[in-house]
Amino acid sequence: MIITTTDNIYGKNLEVLGIVEGATVQTKNVGRDFMAGLKNLVGGELKGYTEMMNEARKIAKQRMADQASQLGADAVVGFRFSSSEIAQSAAEVVAYGTAVRFV
């Protein structure tokens, strides 16, 4: 499955199948939250959160690709991520784009 942020794929004629998306909500555990609180005192990267968000993006992207595959897509164009905090300790990540088939 080709996934690209561009609206076209060079050399391919595309048939639009529709919008596809994948989402996940991730929350931090007590240990991460405690360590993040300590890190706020001294500064620096919150590696636990970075890992959590990387995993969330991976899951959301895979779910989007699975939805595109179910439509018979060869690719997803216009790919984007969106994220938002939905609770004090939880974040939602959404991957979305347009499923297309090569014609």
Side-chain angles (χ1 to χ4, degrees):
M1 173 80 53
I2 297 170
I3 299 174
T4 180
T5 59
T6 62
D7 293 330
N8 293 297
I9 298 174
Y10 180 75
K12 301 285 187 185
N13 291 320
L14 307 177
E15 173 189 357
V16 173
L17 301 176
I19 295 171
V20 289
E21 66 178 40
T24 186
V25 175
Q26 297 286 318
T27 185
K28 55 193 172 191
N29 64 38
V30 174
R32 272 192 192 144
D33 200 26
F34 177 74
M35 294 307 290
L38 293 177
K39 195 67 156 180
N40 279 338
L41 296 174
V42 296
E45 180 181 5
L46 302 174
K47 292 182 182 180
Y49 288 103
T50 299
E51 292 168 4
M52 180 186 77
M53 293 305 290
N54 284 339
E55 181 66 19
R57 283 189 291 273
K58 180 179 174 182
I59 292 167
K61 186 177 175 184
Q62 184 60 56
R63 289 179 179 170
M64 179 202 65
D66 291 346
Q67 189 179 68
S69 291
Q70 290 174 357
L71 294 175
D74 296 309
V76 175
V77 297
F79 170 70
R80 301 287 186 272
F81 280 118
S82 176
S83 63
S84 61
E85 181 181 23
I86 61 170
Q88 185 175 5
S89 61
E92 176 187 40
V93 174
V94 179
Y96 61 95
T98 303
V100 296
R101 181 176 16 229
F102 301 149
V103 293

